[in-house]
Amino acid sequence: MKELELINEVRRRFAGGSGRAVRLGIGDDCAILRTQPGHETVVTTDFTLEGRHFRRDLHPPESVGHRCLARGLSDIAAMGATPIAAFLSLAVPSDLMAKTKGRAWIERFFNGLGALAKRNQVPLAGGDTAESPGNAVLADIVLLGSLPAGKALRRSGAKAGETIYVTGALGGSATELQSMLAGNNRKKSARIIRTKIFSTADHPQMFPEPRIVIGEVLRRRGLATACIDISDGLSTDLAHLCRASGVAAEIDSNAIPLHPLARTLQPAAALDAALHGGEDYELLFSAPASVHIPRKIAGISITRIGKFVPKSAKKPMMTLISPENARATLEPGGWEHFSHRR
Ligand code: ADP
Ligand code: MG
């Protein structure tokens, strides 16, 4: 498959995907977007680099495409915005454009990306495609979202005394990755792909579900004062929010919702996966104690995990409180860019 063929195929597949905001999608020199009066546009870009964010021998191509879009959508969700368009710049080694057994790696990549795009009604409105000079796949996704002016959920709005909540369950992604690294998942993942069960519940690492609807509900109903997505790990992203808001946090370790996969680990390892494992595309947000937060939003459980307290030089920025009421400093231990932790 040549570049033009690929673009034509992508265009065919995403044709009609011109959502409310996209007046003109793939096919011209630029896309044309319509901006809604009284709204603001939020923009995020995320790299997906082979060897850094995924491994071709572990992640099936559908998962790579899915995760590529999920990263951007999760940032849009964290702002409480509605996604309006995605743009994708791709560098692909030429052998992945070639068909083996009737399908090319890159087509399967677009199957995964396309399924998630469709579910979230976000049109792929453009991009760029080039042959990778090396042997690695590099993808950069740009996501645009829209929301009423001044209403974005920022990291900086949390106040001492407010309650800390997370969506969904944590530690599943890191646990599944461990099992993939141990070689347990190869046969299973082939079966998933054949039967097209791109299921987040069973595969939090391969097919994480960004929490778009929850972000929209939090913003629309004015429930959250601050929000962040915790794809880099609860401990790392909570630290970002504490710094941005100028508060300290106390987390009740017993309250942290563990993913069923994480619960198969020893308790200490499960807690470690939930706190530091990362790649759980969940939201962490704060709300005043007086605000009623539903136990579920869009079918996903919302769990209270602690509270924000005044920051002080004498106290750690983040404290983990055990069921026996023992206090320990919580250090950011999640995904560090360029750390080569993984
Ligand atoms: P140009 O030379 O103007 O950059 P291209 O031939 O690269 O045009 O792209 C033609 C059209 O295909 C454009 O609308 C562009 O946005 C779209 N496109 C190219 N690559 C991708 C991709 N990977 N994903 C989505 N759209 C793409
Ligand atoms: Mg181009």
Side-chain angles (χ1 to χ4, degrees):
M1 210 165 27
K2 291 272 168 300
E3 182 189 327
L4 189 60
E5 261 179 82
L6 175 70
I7 292 174
N8 281 336
E9 167 136 359
V10 169
R11 181 182 185 172
R12 231 178 346 233
R13 181 185 305 229
F14 292 92
S18 47
R20 292 135 296 179
V22 178
R23 268 171 38 104
L24 183 64
I26 295 173
D28 214 311
D29 294 320
C30 289
I32 305 178
L33 304 183
R34 186 187 291 118
T35 46
Q36 214 176 320
H39 277 229
E40 285 171 339
T41 305
V42 297
V43 186
T44 177
T45 89
D46 286 278
F47 259 144
T48 295
L49 309 179
E50 181 172 350
R52 184 82 200 131
H53 301 101
F54 72 94
R55 273 176 46 179
R56 219 193 299 161
D57 60 335
L58 292 181
H59 294 89
E62 289 85 354
S63 162
V64 179
H66 176 109
R67 285 161 49 92
C68 181
L69 179 60
R71 290 164 62 91
L73 284 177
S74 187
D75 287 328
I76 296 287
M79 301 303 280
T82 301
I84 55 175
F87 296 84
L88 177 69
S89 292
L90 260 179
V92 192
S94 57
D95 55 321
L96 300 189
M97 303 273 277
K99 292 186 191 284
T100 45
K101 292 187 200 151
R103 278 190 311 176
W105 187 95
I106 195 64
E107 291 174 77
R108 295 180 54 191
F109 169 95
F110 274 109
N111 283 342
L113 188 145
L116 184 63
K118 197 168 168 193
R119 267 212 302 293
N120 286 281
Q121 300 178 322
V122 50
L124 183 64
D128 200 18
T129 308
E131 188 177 326
S132 175
N135 193 33
V137 176
L138 314 173
D140 184 37
I141 195 132
V142 178
L143 257 291
L144 276 70
S146 173
L147 42 65
K151 297 294 185 192
L153 305 177
R154 299 169 63 166
R155 297 178 176 186
S156 53
K159 295 199 180 50
E162 290 182 346
T163 309
I164 306 174
Y165 295 89
V166 288
T167 63
L170 307 183
S173 186
T175 309
E176 186 182 17
L177 180 61
Q178 279 174 30
S179 124
M180 287 158 71
L181 287 164
N184 298 340
N185 248 9
R186 303 274 164 95
K187 277 209 192 88
K188 230 163 90 194
S189 71
R191 195 175 68 232
I192 300 155
I193 303 315
R194 265 203 311 279
T195 52
K196 291 208 175 172
I197 332 170
F198 302 165
S199 154
T200 304
D202 298 334
H203 301 284
Q205 162 67 217
M206 286 198 274
F207 299 104
E209 192 71 37
R211 302 303 186 195
I212 291 291
V213 177
I214 300 180
E216 287 173 330
V217 168
L218 293 176
R219 188 255 306 151
R220 202 172 334 110
R221 297 202 212 149
L223 298 177
T225 52
C227 187
I228 189 168
D229 80 309
I230 51 173
S231 54
D232 287 349
L234 170 62
S235 59
T236 292
D237 288 318
L238 176 61
H240 293 321
L241 195 143
C242 283
R243 247 178 252 115
S245 289
V247 291
E250 293 183 351
I251 300 297
D252 175 2
S253 69
N254 219 21
I256 293 172
L258 297 177
H259 191 281
L261 279 181
R263 278 199 233 111
T264 63
L265 306 175
Q266 295 297 319
L271 184 62
D272 193 68
L275 287 172
H276 311 299
E279 300 189 293
D280 295 313
Y281 285 74
E282 301 295 346
L283 301 179
L284 179 147
F285 64 93
S286 65
S290 59
V291 169
H292 171 73
I293 300 293
R295 289 174 54 190
K296 283 192 170 196
I297 298 178
I300 303 300
S301 58
I302 310 292
T303 309
R304 176 194 168 132
I305 60 163
K307 61 175 192 280
F308 288 113
V309 296
K311 95 170 179 190
S312 104
K314 284 181 254 138
K315 268 191 330 215
M317 187 169 69
M318 301 188 292
T319 303
L320 193 63
I321 303 176
S322 78
E324 297 77 32
N325 232 7
R327 300 168 71 89
T329 298
L330 175 61
E331 300 284 359
W335 174 273
E336 289 292 331
H337 299 276
F338 309 113
S339 73
H340 298 282
R341 185 166 169 260
R342 283 172 215 156

